[in-house]
Amino acid sequence: MGRSYFVEEAVEKYLSGLQAAPGSCLTGLLAGQSSPQKDFVVLAVQTPQRESEVQPESSRGGSALDGIDVAWLTEHAKQVSRMLPGGLCILGMFLVTAPELSKDANNTLKRLIFAMEKYVTKGRLWDPSEEDVTDRAALHICSKTKKAVCKTFDVKDPKSSAKPADWKYQTGVSSSWPMLICSVELDLQIFLKGSDSTDKCMKDALSRWAKQIEAGVCLIGGRQVLDEAELVLSQKKNSKTSPRQTLPVRILISEEMSEVDERSTAQVQVCSGSMTIRGVVHCRAYVHNNKPKAKHAAKAIKRDIINTVSSRVEMFLEDLLISDGSLKVNFSSLFLCDYMFPDESSADVAERLKEMLDWETPEEDIDISLEVFPSGSEKTDSISDEVMTSIISENHEVKKTSKYYADTQVVERCALSVCLHVRTHFTWNFTDAIQLFGSSWRQ
Amino acid sequence: MVYPEECDIIFRVKGVVEFSCQLENPNSPQSQSIISKSFQLLQWKLSSKNVVFSICKSPVILWPNVSFQSSMESLTGASACGDVLQYIESDDCGGRKSSKKKDKKRSEPTVVNIKLLFEVTNPTGTEAPSLIQVGTQQHSVKMPMPLDCIVSVTADVSLLTVCTKLVEALGKQLSDMEEVVLQYRKGSSFLVPQPFHFLLPEPAGLSTVVYPAGVPDSQLQALREALHKKFKLLTDRPYLRRANAFHFPDEVNKDGYLRNPHMYLNPPNIENAKLYQVHGVYSYHHYMQDRVDDDGWGCAYRSLQTICSWFQQQGYVDTAVPSHTQIQQALVDVGDKEPRFVGSRQWIGSIEVQAVLNQMLGVTSKIMFVSQGSDLATKGRELANHFLTEGTPIMIGGGVLAHTILGVMWSENTGHIRYLILDPHYTGGEDLQTIIDKGWCGWKGPEFWDQNAYYNLCLPQRPKTI
């Protein structure tokens, strides 16, 4: 018995609109949510063309399939998966080829899917659980007949063979999926040991924090997530027209770390410096509404929290690398140019969305909200040799004061994310806020 | 064990806050104020709106610092704290003691365990994450503060009051911990402060003391003397050694031995008689335990083990209860036995018990000789006095048997006497029901003794230290 994929109608429209140039092929990603019984596909995105790329042609002495740039494809997959809200992930790939290449399609898809899975999951901070579905969809579309055939491969088993799967189009697959939201306060301290790289120190600190989140108590809509209970949703009278339910999530963590608690002395390390990451991230996850378990929902939102913070930290690291340890922080650095500047317009954002996600978005649908620039931003575009210390006042507000301190170099880097409400009324039924994280992968 | 007056429920909150600070020069005079500032941050954290009490084994979650928020609509600040009990899943396994307790007079208070958690999804600001980098070399210090606070109340006290008291207790404990950390710090070496609960005589009751980890009891004498003064405790017996820590009713004994089985007995009803019995806690040692088949020869060894367990659990010694071999080796070491005694199945008597207690634990004992068993009925006064002043278990050997006497019921007027006996000849498992029902721990009359045999009793003397 193979898997069943329930696919948004809008995806069908998108896929049928794809044109592969003669002799070439198109690749792309399928995104959605898996549950033990069914899978739901809500998004398809073709791999964007490289600007300087020459279309792989069979006349170059190999088949078009051999010419697929796997590195480019997997990088795109990683960027897109970062942009997906919690609960959604890349659950397969599609390949559009000319009829004569159809027989090799499955092997190619298998190769690409395994490569993508490996790349996208590298450095992931949460461990996959037993209940995670490891089958990935391999969709082959013939460019002439437009016929789509779906098979699955199990990414846990490198020797797996293609298994048959159902591919069914439906309307409103995700229109009434409940949305879980929360805002997470972050206060992460990272100590830099001389022997370890900055990267490793940050990853270690993040990894410890991620474990706390994973082990944390989760409250959805005020109820604690325990055992095998189903997620409690309000009654839906008409699933097509009722608004999407929003469920607030609360996460409670314990600071207990079992291996540390056995010690009788403090852990003391000599560090060459330290870094603190402070601020608030907004997280979102969607859950299918086919009798979802509360545990599944909790997992989705926790993973989104961890992914969100992990992506931010990765960007900080990239920025540090680029700026080569120098202290100049500049809002116009490469790192930040994908973010919304005060002087940017919705048009710029729309352009980026089209490029990365192949979406047409009317400008009036782009609505910027939720996050603000940190208040200290105006101080940071010069080399500073001041120490910024935070003191917690009696009213529990974080205040910043500065005082002079020779030989200390402090840098504040700000990473702002733009939270967009994208209501693309003609292509998707899926109403959402998507967070843009990835740094530019333009060349 | 006497519980504090009028206590139905003990609320116990446990959790960790991580202490973290950066010291440029751990030996500079500024370090102390930096450390104190870090503790100040933790105090703030404990009084913040993000503190959460999660009641273990229940869906009840409370936010004590947010004008009382609770995850259950039916539980408000004004609710009686006893209402919480209905939401707690009862423990099926390990409830042996509570379900089969025969002594209905002494009702144990219920322990409600609470986990200290922190909410991360209720931010104060909305600022996007920023990264602050400090480039100086420094010593980074991290250690967990293992908070463990208790509040004993009657069931009608409001939940709001209980939570307020718990939060107060957490803050106070943190500042006790700060004191201990500062006092025992040497440069960049910090000792983790650990809380211990002790059930002290009234008026102190159930109290908590913070000790530095890794510093043995022997080095904390001065601290204990000060505490004895503070709690108005006698200075001839230990109350505040780590081994004296209160054993909560819901905590399972890790070593598997039964503790104080005599507590589940009703003393016999004798006119004008008073009860004199062992103080504190001992473990029941008997035949066949620890995979040693000593059936028929080991009874005195087991009685000795019971006595050793008493000294260990009252905090007089750190040494573990000795095995048969170790007991035999001790006797060889003092020259009482030949080396081939070790590994044999030879019996020992009260004299040997006295010798081992002296050799291994540094405990002296008095020997009482009784020329015939019938005379034991006349020893009421001596035995009563022993339990009054020393309160230690007595080993008695005679005829072909050894037993442990845990107490007497004695009337000064009539001379009527009963003996509370712990019998080491039991060969079964740690089944309290059987042990009580079949009288392996039970009250016996003077006819219990072999009327014609002579008996030696070993009465261990309690060291007069704290």
Side-chain angles (χ1 to χ4, degrees):
Chain A
M1 241 253 321
R3 296 204 68 83
S4 300
Y5 289 89
F6 293 87
V7 189
E8 282 276 4
E9 243 179 35
V11 172
E12 184 186 15
K13 279 206 189 81
Y14 178 83
L15 290 174
S16 50
L18 292 175
Q19 292 293 344
S24 74
C25 60
L26 280 180
T27 56
L29 308 169
L30 299 166
Q33 184 168 120
S34 286
S35 78
Q37 290 87 30
K38 301 182 194 177
D39 301 277
F40 304 96
V41 178
V42 299
L43 175 65
V45 188
Q46 65 166 321
T47 309
Q49 310 288 9
R50 291 181 91 131
E51 277 153 15
S52 54
E53 192 180 304
V54 174
Q55 289 287 1
E57 285 171 8
S58 40
S59 61
R60 280 202 287 143
S63 115
L65 295 175
D66 297 327
I68 295 173
D69 187 340
V70 181
W72 183 250
L73 183 152
T74 56
E75 182 60 38
H76 176 239
K78 187 164 194 162
Q79 298 304 332
V80 171
S81 80
R82 269 185 181 177
M83 295 167 70
L84 295 172
L88 298 188
C89 63
I90 312 256
L91 40 62
M93 296 197 61
F94 66 81
L95 180 65
V96 182
T97 66
E100 51 282 10
L101 296 171
S102 295
K103 57 178 171 17
D104 296 320
N106 272 338
N107 284 336
T108 307
L109 276 168
K110 178 176 178 182
R111 184 166 55 96
L112 297 175
I113 285 172
F114 274 82
M116 175 197 72
E117 183 75 18
K118 187 168 168 194
Y119 191 68
V120 167
T121 57
K122 197 169 60 165
R124 197 164 60 180
L125 286 171
W126 41 268
D127 295 319
S129 74
E130 291 278 306
E131 296 130 357
D132 285 339
V133 172
T134 48
D135 290 297
R136 299 284 176 265
L139 188 74
H140 173 246
I141 301 167
C142 173
S143 55
K144 194 158 158 202
T145 64
K146 301 291 180 191
K147 184 159 167 267
V149 174
C150 181
K151 301 246 192 282
T152 58
F153 291 100
D154 184 348
V155 284
K156 243 185 8 232
D157 175 15
K159 293 203 189 66
S160 75
S161 53
K163 287 194 279 276
D166 279 336
W167 185 261
K168 292 194 242 273
Y169 291 111
Q170 269 187 358
T171 51
V173 167
S174 60
S175 54
S176 36
W177 284 8
M179 178 172 79
L180 307 163
I181 55 169
C182 66
S183 305
V184 177
E185 190 154 31
L186 205 57
D187 187 358
L188 210 56
Q189 235 182 358
I190 300 141
F191 295 108
L192 303 170
K193 290 180 275 195
S195 50
D196 293 335
S197 67
T198 307
D199 198 46
K200 180 167 187 314
C201 293
M202 230 184 216
K203 291 275 157 81
D204 283 345
L206 254 191
S207 172
R208 254 177 285 128
W209 169 86
K211 286 202 169 58
Q212 282 180 343
I213 297 284
E214 259 191 307
V217 171
C218 184
L219 293 163
I220 301 180
R223 270 203 195 81
Q224 201 177 353
V225 173
L226 297 164
D227 53 62
E228 297 296 314
E230 269 184 29
L231 189 62
V232 175
L233 304 168
S234 64
Q235 291 299 329
K236 302 189 291 287
K237 294 192 185 76
N238 181 344
S239 58
K240 293 269 155 61
T241 58
S242 62
R244 189 187 299 286
Q245 211 189 345
T246 304
L247 298 169
V249 170
R250 298 177 95 151
I251 307 274
L252 317 170
I253 60 161
S254 155
E255 293 195 2
E256 248 169 279
M257 301 237 56
S258 49
E259 67 280 356
V260 176
D261 288 351
E262 296 306 318
R263 298 172 62 104
S264 58
T265 55
Q267 196 184 23
V268 182
Q269 287 167 340
V270 176
C271 305
S272 51
S274 71
M275 288 193 279
T276 312
I277 301 180
R278 232 173 243 152
V280 179
V281 291
H282 300 282
C283 305
R284 220 154 282 235
Y286 294 89
V287 194
H288 67 87
N289 55 353
N290 179 31
K291 293 210 187 69
K293 291 253 166 70
K295 262 180 9 181
H296 175 73
K299 200 166 61 169
I301 188 76
K302 280 182 184 174
R303 286 180 178 177
D304 190 61
I305 295 169
I306 297 173
N307 286 341
T308 307
V309 170
S310 172
S311 303
R312 297 300 179 96
V313 171
E314 255 185 66
M315 295 186 319
F316 283 131
L317 280 179
E318 282 163 13
D319 180 46
L320 283 175
L321 209 63
I322 288 164
S323 52
D324 195 19
S326 79
L327 305 170
K328 195 154 155 227
V329 173
N330 202 327
F331 274 117
S332 63
S333 74
L334 175 68
F335 174 58
L336 293 168
C337 72
D338 286 315
Y339 290 78
M340 179 84 177
F341 290 95
D343 59 330
E344 276 198 332
S345 72
S346 310
D348 300 300
V349 179
E351 202 191 297
R352 279 201 291 276
L353 278 180
K354 169 93 180 90
E355 251 195 71
M356 282 221 264
L357 296 178
D358 214 16
W359 279 0
E360 298 284 353
T361 318
E363 281 175 36
E364 60 269 17
D365 282 347
I366 296 177
D367 150 41
I368 295 117
S369 65
L370 282 183
E371 288 192 23
V372 297
F373 282 92
S375 55
S377 56
E378 58 276 10
K379 288 196 177 150
T380 55
D381 44 18
S382 53
I383 299 171
S384 164
D385 55 1
E386 293 174 327
V387 167
M388 308 264 283
T389 44
S390 304
I391 46 172
I392 313 298
S393 75
E394 278 165 58
N395 296 327
H396 307 167
E397 287 171 50
V398 176
K399 288 193 187 137
K400 291 183 180 151
T401 59
S402 38
K403 62 179 188 215
Y404 271 87
Y405 198 93
D407 297 335
T408 324
Q409 290 156 341
V410 175
V411 169
E412 190 172 340
R413 284 173 169 74
C414 306
L416 174 74
S417 96
V418 181
C419 205
L420 304 167
H421 284 275
V422 177
R423 239 160 286 134
T424 52
H425 49 252
F426 64 92
T427 38
W428 310 102
N429 293 329
F430 190 68
T431 313
D432 304 314
I434 293 276
Q435 286 170 311
L436 274 177
F437 297 120
S439 58
S440 172
W441 47 272
R442 279 177 293 213
Q443 285 179 300
Chain B
M1 245 177 281
V2 179
Y3 287 92
E5 290 285 311
E6 292 185 20
C7 164
D8 302 319
I9 310 181
I10 297 178
F11 284 92
R12 183 179 188 188
V13 64
K14 287 203 283 192
V16 169
V17 283
E18 193 182 58
F19 167 84
S20 164
C21 77
Q22 292 83 56
L23 301 173
E24 269 192 50
N25 179 2
N27 295 310
S28 79
Q30 281 92 28
S31 316
Q32 176 144 336
S33 67
I34 295 175
I35 294 168
S36 290
K37 270 208 194 86
S38 298
F39 271 103
Q40 179 58 33
L41 284 177
L42 288 182
Q43 287 285 6
W44 168 75
K45 187 168 181 164
L46 283 180
S47 58
S48 81
K49 60 183 167 76
N50 288 327
V51 167
V52 173
F53 288 161
S54 168
I55 300 190
C56 298
K57 298 207 190 89
S58 87
V60 180
I61 296 185
L62 307 169
W63 283 259
N65 293 333
V66 189
S67 67
F68 200 86
Q69 230 185 81
S70 127
S71 67
M72 315 283 316
E73 269 168 28
S74 43
L75 287 175
T76 65
S79 310
C81 63
D83 290 350
V84 153
L85 297 174
Q86 61 187 290
Y87 296 101
I88 301 179
E89 241 174 71
S90 57
D91 209 10
D92 289 322
C93 56
R96 246 233 134 93
K97 241 184 187 167
S98 48
S99 58
K100 301 200 176 168
K101 248 177 69 164
K102 306 199 84 194
D103 191 331
K104 298 217 168 44
K105 275 186 270 178
R106 261 180 289 252
S107 54
E108 287 178 335
T110 319
V111 179
V112 174
N113 289 302
I114 300 174
K115 199 144 195 258
L116 176 66
L117 299 174
F118 293 93
E119 179 166 4
V120 292
T121 42
N122 193 6
T124 8
T126 50
E127 292 183 358
S130 58
L131 185 148
I132 304 168
Q133 196 176 27
V134 174
T136 39
Q137 186 165 76
Q138 48 196 223
H139 290 78
S140 96
V141 181
K142 267 196 207 206
M143 65 177 161
M145 294 290 125
L147 298 165
D148 184 349
C149 292
I150 46 177
V151 161
S152 317
V153 287
T154 50
D156 59 328
V157 170
S158 77
L159 257 184
L160 180 61
T161 307
V162 170
C163 285
T164 310
K165 283 192 175 181
L166 283 170
V167 171
E168 256 170 42
L170 284 169
K172 163 115 196 347
Q173 189 168 93
L174 186 63
S175 83
D176 288 343
M177 288 181 165
E178 179 181 349
E179 241 180 80
V180 168
V181 166
L182 289 173
Q183 190 179 356
Y184 288 88
R185 173 180 83 100
K186 289 192 180 66
S188 64
S189 162
F190 290 74
L191 295 178
V192 174
Q194 291 171 332
F196 290 87
H197 305 295
F198 300 98
L199 183 54
L200 303 175
E202 294 294 319
L206 207 45
S207 312
T208 312
V209 177
V210 176
Y211 287 132
V215 177
D217 283 327
S218 48
Q219 285 176 34
L220 294 170
Q221 181 83 14
L223 178 53
R224 283 198 302 281
E225 277 166 12
L227 288 169
H228 271 243
K229 230 188 222 145
K230 174 177 162 197
F231 290 124
K232 300 193 179 26
L233 302 170
L234 297 172
T235 50
D236 69 337
R237 52 165 290 200
Y239 284 98
L240 297 168
R241 291 183 172 233
R242 289 184 177 95
N244 299 125
F246 180 61
H247 178 81
F248 285 85
D250 62 331
E251 278 173 345
V252 178
N253 285 317
K254 291 191 195 103
D255 57 20
Y257 298 113
L258 287 179
R259 299 257 184 319
N260 289 19
H262 73 274
M263 302 265 290
Y264 300 92
L265 295 170
N266 290 322
N269 207 350
I270 312 250
E271 212 179 299
N272 285 328
K274 281 212 197 91
L275 175 63
Y276 307 88
Q277 64 183 6
V278 65
H279 304 159
V281 184
Y282 61 87
S283 308
Y284 180 22
H285 291 265
H286 57 78
Y287 278 170
M288 308 305 282
Q289 277 176 345
D290 320 312
R291 286 190 282 255
V292 174
D293 183 350
D294 59 335
D295 191 350
W297 61 273
C299 47
Y301 292 83
R302 296 297 183 181
S303 177
L304 174 53
Q305 284 179 335
T306 297
I307 294 171
C308 290
S309 81
W310 187 93
F311 280 96
Q312 183 210 34
Q313 287 174 78
Q314 262 51 245
Y316 289 102
V317 296
D318 287 330
T319 46
V321 171
S323 66
H324 291 63
T325 318
Q326 287 170 324
I327 291 169
Q328 289 172 335
Q329 186 60 50
L331 287 168
V332 171
D333 292 344
V334 297
D336 190 74
K337 299 280 183 238
E338 297 293 307
R340 61 189 151 85
F341 178 65
V342 180
S344 73
R345 303 163 112 221
Q346 284 189 45
W347 296 355
I348 55 174
S350 337
I351 306 298
E352 285 83 1
V353 169
Q354 178 190 43
V356 174
L357 286 174
N358 186 48
Q359 170 69 1
M360 292 189 85
L361 307 189
V363 165
T364 54
S365 316
K366 288 197 181 134
I367 297 290
M368 187 198 285
F369 171 73
V370 172
S371 55
Q372 49 195 30
S374 48
D375 287 348
L376 269 167
T378 67
K379 298 295 180 186
R381 185 177 303 279
E382 284 90 333
L383 294 173
N385 277 338
H386 170 85
F387 286 113
L388 269 179
T389 55
E390 307 304 322
T392 58
I394 297 173
M395 177 264 173
I396 178 169
V400 289
L401 303 173
H403 290 93
T404 311
I405 304 179
L406 295 174
V408 287
M409 197 71 184
W410 176 64
S411 163
E412 201 170 342
N413 300 338
T414 63
H416 285 142
I417 188 168
R418 294 285 183 280
Y419 309 87
L420 179 55
I421 304 293
L422 189 67
D423 197 335
H425 301 93
Y426 172 62
T427 53
E430 308 317 313
D431 179 354
L432 182 64
Q433 190 73 41
T434 304
I435 288 163
I436 301 292
D437 287 347
K438 304 285 188 197
W440 294 103
C441 176
W443 288 96
K444 314 288 180 191
E447 66 285 353
F448 178 73
W449 312 110
D450 181 338
Q451 303 296 295
N452 301 312
Y454 69 84
Y455 283 89
N456 269 324
L457 291 84
C458 175
L459 286 74
Q461 304 297 293
R462 190 169 53 80
K464 307 294 186 283
T465 67
I466 61 169

